[in-house]
Amino acid sequence: MNAAAAQIENLDRSSEALPLLSVRSVSKAYGARIGCTEVNFDIWPGEVLAIVGESGSGKTTLLNCISTRLEPTSGTIAYRMRDGEMRDLYQLGEAERRFLLRTDWGFVHQNPADGLRMTVSAGANVGERLMAVGHRHYGELRATATDWLGRVEIGADRIDDQPRAFSGGMRQRLQIARNLVTAPRLVFMDEPTGGLDVSVQARLLDLVRGLVNELGLSVIIVTHDLAVARLLSHRMLVMKDGRVVEHGLTDRLLDDPQAPYTQLLVSSILQV
Amino acid sequence: MTAHPQTSGYNFAYLDEQTKRMIRRAILKAIAIPGYQVPFASREMPMPYGWGTGGVQVTAAILGPRDVLKVIDQGADDTTNAVSIRKFFERVAGVETTTRTADATIIQTRHRIPEAPLREGQVLVYQVPIPEPLRFLEPRETETRKMHALEEYGLMHVKLYEDIARNGHIATTYAYPVKIEGRYVMDPSPTPKFDNPKMHMSEALQLFGAGREKRIYALPPYTDVVSLDFEDHPFEVQRFDRPCALCGAEQVYLDEVVLDDRGGRMFVCSDTDHCESRQAQGLRGELSGEAAQ
């Protein structure tokens, strides 16, 4: 049975011969200090990868490098475009890169105020990406916005309210809707549950897990919370002092940590 | 009249020749790239910012001794701003001035386009307070420049979307954003959107000067100007349900004038020259008898 499953997986892999994103020896130095160094990994379509580690371990630097928000000092990052071609992200023109960022990619910030337009209504926040790629029909934009608000459990009667009037959890869900409306293939999340209380966090994680399965998204999620990684991710990357200390399937890595630092991290979780 | 007797102490048209050359270069570049905001080294003018320092500098740079200048403020030739700018150029350039649209070669305007169609050879100079159409949506200048460069104009429609969501229709009535030749989005200065269609394929050259913000932009004659809208909420101009009370003109932009403290009011042409020339032709509105008394 297991052999059959592995065979099917292999078949899937061969049809998707290339990874969605391929990171090769990426380093970022801030002067003499190291942000992250010699990072290598691939991410495949439909896969959720968690980057974990303590504060200052280079998680966010790495995420910013991959999402073209911060140019790495060395290394290459290749992305498989919709036409199937692998392209080096930092060889793309700025226009192409920005287009990628607002169509094929999503970026969910830790603080929703960074990712939302706080002074325009929820509906316009969701519709902005669509308008940016040329949608010019108000009725359709509004219908799409209503649909997406529903999918992230925001009432349709809140469509004309500004995010300022929303709670933290609602803002975060609105930010997710705003990013997913153009059907991106890859979504970056930087501590999406930071600053939310545990019950809101649980609902948000449930929602994200549902959407990821439903839409077949690839997600790179940065978190310091191992529980979040356990719930959402298929694979994990553990970082310390800018280096990847361990890399593997989430369940294997959490149940049988190999690197001393990962063992420390796993044993540091408080048991209730 | 000898050369410029009343201009002694000033160079012709107030600005020195080097400054005029600098402004003309900016104007030429602006004409070459319709709708693009060209930075220029705006000078201090003997009037406060917001009174048309940008328009005055553009006018001074293109003015020649044989030009005939008309200045309007909200369509009127006789309001403070229009009168003082007209007097300014009479004094420092000694040029002929007029209130008649048809006679003028240069028309400096604050927020209206004359009702009478402009013809080839005329230049319309706009006074612009804030040249950046994206400013209230995106406060960073670095970012708005990048958005213009990369043609990222989705944000402009976000504003129109908000209008419809709040008011049921596009409630922007002035400074209504336009797209030039399918490329740059431009703020037509705070003219009422009623005047937007007049910019499209205009025979006259249109120059825009923003003194405080140090930007010049332009529309060469016969330029394609499209007002932004949604497919199901198309662009519309204001409509008035009555003609001008003095000259009976329809399909023109009207000003509301309060007559008394009992709710009496009248609607008259905002373009005073248009109204007066119609009255001179013997055309009358419903209140023209009373107004004459």
Side-chain angles (χ1 to χ4, degrees):
Chain A
M1 190 65 203
N2 272 346
Q7 241 175 354
I8 289 167
E9 179 146 298
N10 278 340
L11 275 175
D12 281 347
R13 279 287 161 87
S14 57
S15 65
E16 300 274 3
L18 295 169
L20 189 62
L21 184 86
S22 173
V23 177
R24 287 290 169 270
S25 55
V26 164
S27 304
K28 172 70 190 172
Y30 298 105
R33 249 181 282 276
I34 290 172
C36 61
T37 183
E38 288 297 316
V39 178
N40 293 289
F41 68 86
D42 288 336
I43 184 164
W44 302 81
E47 190 178 38
V48 180
L49 175 76
I51 303 174
V52 301
E54 60 194 10
S55 305
S57 59
K59 305 184 300 266
T60 302
T61 298
L62 179 60
L63 190 74
N64 286 340
C65 284
I66 303 167
S67 58
T68 72
R69 293 151 54 87
L70 183 71
E71 190 162 356
T73 319
S74 64
T76 57
I77 301 159
Y79 179 70
R80 184 151 56 83
M81 310 295 273
R82 290 210 179 201
D83 59 9
E85 200 189 336
M86 290 300 277
R87 303 272 305 270
D88 185 339
L89 289 176
Y90 286 93
Q91 301 295 319
L92 296 176
E94 188 173 18
E96 277 181 297
R97 232 182 290 160
R98 285 172 69 113
F99 185 75
L100 204 60
L101 255 174
R102 60 170 199 263
T103 54
D104 219 16
W105 290 3
F107 198 108
V108 177
H109 294 260
Q110 174 172 13
N111 178 4
D114 295 339
L116 292 171
R117 284 194 193 281
M118 299 304 277
T119 51
V120 304
S121 68
N125 263 295
V126 176
E128 182 178 343
R129 279 174 156 237
L130 293 174
M131 291 184 245
V133 293
H135 286 249
R136 294 289 180 266
H137 192 285
Y138 176 80
E140 287 168 14
L141 283 165
R142 205 163 165 84
T144 313
T146 312
D147 175 46
W148 267 102
L149 290 180
R151 288 166 87 163
V152 297
E153 299 164 18
I154 296 175
D157 57 327
R158 302 301 299 270
I159 188 169
D160 290 331
D161 290 351
Q162 294 184 359
R164 283 192 292 204
F166 285 7
S167 69
M170 280 173 85
R171 288 181 190 181
Q172 200 57 282
R173 278 179 275 144
L174 178 62
Q175 199 193 174
I176 289 169
R178 171 185 160 91
N179 274 289
L180 296 188
V181 70
T182 49
R185 294 190 299 160
L186 177 60
V187 178
F188 303 97
M189 296 188 181
D190 188 6
E191 305 268 11
T193 56
L196 300 178
D197 62 62
V198 282
S199 57
V200 174
Q201 210 178 74
R203 269 180 64 201
L204 187 78
L205 288 174
D206 211 31
L207 179 81
V208 170
R209 195 157 57 161
L211 287 172
V212 165
N213 285 335
E214 188 186 328
L215 305 169
L217 292 175
S218 298
V219 180
I220 298 180
I221 181 169
V222 159
T223 179
H224 61 261
D225 188 339
L226 291 180
V228 170
R230 169 83 96 177
L231 264 172
L232 287 181
S233 69
H234 304 128
R235 275 194 304 142
M236 274 174 76
L237 216 65
V238 182
M239 292 192 72
K240 170 138 176 60
D241 299 332
R243 288 166 207 284
V244 176
V245 294
E246 195 167 358
H247 180 190
L249 293 174
T250 302
D251 289 341
R252 198 282 294 160
L253 203 141
L254 290 177
D255 294 339
D256 180 21
Q258 306 283 315
Y261 175 70
T262 317
Q263 292 171 354
L264 176 80
L265 208 62
V266 171
S267 61
S268 305
I269 300 173
L270 291 175
Q271 302 295 331
V272 185
Chain B
M1 197 190 293
T2 54
H4 313 293
Q6 64 280 63
T7 65
S8 57
Y10 289 112
N11 188 32
F12 175 74
Y14 187 74
L15 292 174
D16 61 277
E17 293 303 313
Q18 278 303 318
T19 300
K20 285 198 234 172
R21 283 181 61 173
M22 174 271 293
I23 295 173
R24 286 174 197 147
R25 269 200 287 266
I27 292 172
L28 287 174
K29 182 168 179 181
I31 293 170
I33 319 170
Y36 172 71
Q37 299 167 43
V38 183
F40 79 111
S42 175
R43 298 288 192 252
E44 292 268 337
M45 295 302 282
M47 60 180 71
Y49 286 132
W51 282 49
T53 51
V56 163
Q57 288 179 79
V58 170
T59 302
I62 61 171
L63 199 63
R66 286 195 302 279
D67 272 315
V68 181
L69 181 68
K70 169 182 163 83
V71 184
I72 52 175
D73 174 4
Q74 309 279 5
D77 292 282
D78 53 3
T79 48
T80 315
N81 195 262
V83 170
S84 49
I85 292 174
R86 198 161 53 226
K87 284 256 188 285
F88 174 75
F89 281 114
E90 279 172 9
R91 189 147 163 203
V92 300
V95 292
E96 193 187 330
T97 57
T98 181
T99 59
R100 298 180 55 82
T101 305
D103 296 345
T105 57
I106 298 174
I107 304 170
Q108 182 171 335
T109 172
R110 176 170 175 267
H111 316 340
R112 270 316 305 284
I113 298 174
E115 303 289 357
L118 302 177
R119 55 182 159 72
E120 266 184 42
Q122 286 184 309
V123 184
L124 191 59
V125 177
Y126 296 76
Q127 302 168 200
V128 181
I130 295 167
E132 178 51 72
L134 301 161
R135 179 60 65 235
F136 291 109
L137 303 153
E138 176 52 68
R140 289 167 294 181
E141 174 70 17
T142 48
E143 189 65 18
T144 52
R145 280 204 211 183
K146 200 166 274 177
M147 290 160 87
H148 282 293
L150 301 177
E151 242 180 301
E152 288 180 7
Y153 290 130
L155 203 52
M156 213 65 249
H157 274 87
V158 170
K159 180 178 184 290
L160 301 180
Y161 173 98
E162 281 292 279
D163 262 4
I164 304 174
R166 278 191 205 148
N167 306 298
H169 61 277
I170 299 178
T172 304
T173 52
Y174 64 94
Y176 192 101
V178 290
K179 195 161 202 177
I180 310 303
E181 292 287 336
R183 177 59 182 86
Y184 283 99
V185 165
M186 186 190 94
D187 183 346
S189 91
T191 50
K193 67 177 172 184
F194 183 88
D195 287 339
N196 275 17
K198 295 181 195 163
M199 304 171 76
H200 176 61
M201 291 293 157
S202 167
E203 293 181 23
L205 169 65
Q206 301 173 73
L207 303 175
F208 299 76
R212 177 175 40 204
E213 303 287 328
K214 302 178 169 52
R215 294 288 184 278
I216 286 172
Y217 49 106
L219 296 176
Y222 306 105
T223 299
D224 185 49
V225 178
V226 179
S227 303
L228 300 181
D229 59 3
F230 283 103
E231 285 160 18
D232 48 346
H233 286 268
F235 172 77
E236 279 177 353
V237 298
Q238 292 100 329
R239 301 204 179 285
F240 299 91
D241 53 3
R242 64 189 82 190
C244 169
L246 293 180
C247 73
E250 291 178 29
Q251 315 288 319
V252 296
Y253 194 75
L254 301 180
D255 279 343
E256 183 178 6
V257 180
V258 175
L259 296 175
D260 51 38
D261 59 0
R262 295 185 303 278
R265 59 200 57 211
M266 67 194 285
F267 286 85
V268 296
C269 288
S270 136
D271 184 341
T272 51
D273 172 58
H274 183 71
C275 199
E276 279 160 16
S277 50
R278 280 177 60 90
Q279 289 178 62
Q281 289 164 27
L283 296 160
R284 290 286 179 268
E286 53 177 356
L287 285 176
S288 48
E290 292 172 39
Q293 281 161 17

